[in-house]
Amino acid sequence: MGSSSPMERENQTRDKNFLLLGFTEDSEMQSFFFGLLLSMYLVTITGNLLIILAIISDPHLHMPMYFFLSNLSIADISFTSTTIPKALQNIHTQSKLISFTGCITQIFFFIVFGCLDNLLLTVMAYDRFVAICHPLHYVVIMNSCFCVMLALGSWIVSVMSSLPETLTVLRLSFCTNIEIPHFFCDLPEVLKLACSDTLVNNIVVYSITIVIAGFPFFGILLSYFHIFSSILRISSAGGKYKAFSTCGSHLLVVFLFYGNGLGVYLSSAATSSSRMSLVTSLMYTVVTPMLNPFIYSLKNKDMQKALGKLLRKIMPLGDATTAKLP
């Protein structure tokens, strides 16, 4: 029997369905995870939408920091929506299937919005650096045109970074083992299932990770080194507190994002346990985007005021409707 041609192997691969093994086989535990994921997803969508609407509706928040925050909220909604709806569908229908096309699509958008989160956090760190270290030049440097260019550039770079990682998967062929021990198509797990050489894929993945994750993280650390140096030179205690409070929420989000992200890859490198990787990925893909709105509104008085105004605008609509009812 002759071996199949590359074109035939490609068609066979694209006709395949992958199996997302998810969290557990236990039906009762599946119901628990369905409720947990649905609750967290709804909180994530609601919290980030409120942040976006509050920023749009309040003129006092039409500033670079909040412009980037609204983009971060959009990225968080999209990042979570890439994986959770499919996981919920599979649990609800008792199905584990995801098509090859669906898997590739999920990989592409997961990388796009993951990179976007990373780049926006870097841009926000630069914004805080200019605000604290060069306050007299802040308005000139962080003008509206430059802010739009930074945000648009982050979106474009994220898409361009995801394309090579995703397109190189199309050259792979997959054998009989198509079970992914995850609730979504995680690229490292998909590459493990390939029965063709993945050297090119690994080179592309590691190269882009260094450029898109490593350099921005170094930029964030450098920005905050200069920020803290400037804060320590402030003479008044009140000035120091105000400066720290404006950076605290962003720094906490940075630690959550990179801490969970590093946890995923370090745990997968240190142990072969797919269960550990599953838990850390859940933190990275769901918990962090859910917590971001709470972190940014917890100690931010301007954001709290804007959210209060927004909720007061929304609530009377419900009261007025109720009052008209017989």
Side-chain angles (χ1 to χ4, degrees):
M1 294 179 65
S3 60
S4 59
S5 67
M7 183 63 70
E8 289 174 343
R9 288 200 303 269
E10 181 178 344
N11 289 335
Q12 290 170 4
T13 295
R14 294 188 181 187
D15 290 339
K16 282 182 179 294
N17 287 322
F18 289 98
L19 295 177
L20 297 173
L21 299 185
F23 297 96
T24 180
E25 295 286 342
D26 191 305
S27 58
E28 292 184 1
M29 288 301 295
Q30 283 185 347
S31 299
F32 167 76
F33 278 113
F34 181 85
L36 179 65
L37 285 179
L38 181 60
S39 302
M40 294 169 74
Y41 182 59
L42 291 176
V43 171
T44 301
I45 299 297
T46 304
N48 282 289
L49 276 178
L50 285 174
I51 291 288
I52 295 168
L53 292 173
I55 292 171
I56 292 173
S57 63
D58 194 331
H60 294 97
L61 299 184
H62 293 175
M63 299 162 56
M65 180 174 70
Y66 297 107
F67 169 68
F68 297 130
L69 177 57
S70 63
N71 275 267
L72 184 67
S73 290
I74 294 171
D76 281 340
I77 291 172
S78 305
F79 187 57
T80 309
S81 298
T82 300
T83 57
I84 300 304
K86 179 59 179 176
L88 290 172
Q89 180 191 3
N90 281 6
I91 295 174
H92 180 67
T93 59
Q94 298 293 307
S95 170
K96 298 178 181 179
L97 294 179
I98 183 170
S99 66
F100 179 80
T101 303
C103 193
I104 293 296
T105 303
Q106 205 174 62
I107 289 171
F108 173 76
F109 285 108
F110 183 81
I111 296 172
V112 166
F113 296 118
C115 288
L116 184 59
D117 259 5
N118 178 50
L119 293 176
L120 287 173
L121 288 174
T122 308
V123 169
M124 292 171 76
Y126 177 72
D127 172 71
R128 291 299 84 204
F129 162 73
V130 176
I132 292 174
C133 299
H134 303 284
L136 299 179
H137 301 96
Y138 180 77
V139 177
V140 177
I141 296 173
M142 301 302 293
N143 59 75
S144 57
C145 181
F146 184 57
C147 290
V148 171
M149 286 178 59
L150 285 175
L152 184 61
S154 297
W155 282 87
I156 293 172
V157 170
S158 298
V159 173
M160 297 305 294
S161 300
S162 181
L163 281 172
E165 294 195 52
T166 307
L167 292 177
T168 50
V169 179
L170 298 178
R171 58 179 286 277
L172 300 176
S173 57
F174 294 88
C175 303
T176 55
N177 181 20
I178 52 174
E179 294 182 344
I180 302 174
H182 231 306
F183 64 94
F184 69 97
C185 284
D186 190 27
L187 180 57
E189 295 294 336
V190 173
L191 293 181
K192 290 177 184 177
L193 302 180
C195 54
S196 54
D197 185 39
T198 59
L199 177 62
V200 173
N201 299 76
N202 290 325
I203 291 173
V204 170
V205 168
Y206 286 118
S207 300
I208 291 177
T209 300
I210 290 170
V211 174
I212 300 299
F215 289 159
F217 184 55
F218 177 76
I220 291 173
L221 293 178
L222 188 62
S223 295
Y224 272 97
F225 172 77
H226 289 293
I227 286 170
F228 289 139
S229 298
S230 296
I231 290 175
L232 292 174
R233 288 197 294 268
I234 298 174
S235 56
S236 67
K240 287 182 179 179
Y241 175 78
K242 185 177 180 180
F244 273 120
S245 64
T246 59
C247 299
S249 57
H250 177 255
L251 200 54
L252 181 56
V253 169
V254 168
F255 281 134
L256 272 175
F257 181 80
Y258 279 99
N260 287 320
L262 287 172
V264 172
Y265 290 100
L266 290 177
S267 65
S268 61
T271 177
S272 59
S273 171
S274 59
R275 187 61 54 189
M276 179 62 70
S277 175
L278 195 63
V279 172
T280 50
S281 292
L282 184 64
M283 292 289 295
Y284 177 58
T285 58
V286 186
V287 176
T288 301
M290 181 185 70
L291 291 179
N292 285 355
F294 296 101
I295 293 170
Y296 277 110
S297 59
L298 192 63
K299 288 188 176 182
N300 191 316
K301 292 182 179 178
D302 292 333
M303 184 60 70
Q304 288 174 1
K305 289 178 182 177
L307 286 170
K309 289 178 183 177
L310 178 65
L311 292 174
R312 282 193 294 272
K313 287 179 182 178
I314 296 173
M315 295 305 290
L317 295 176
D319 296 339
T321 305
T322 306
K324 291 179 182 178
L325 295 174

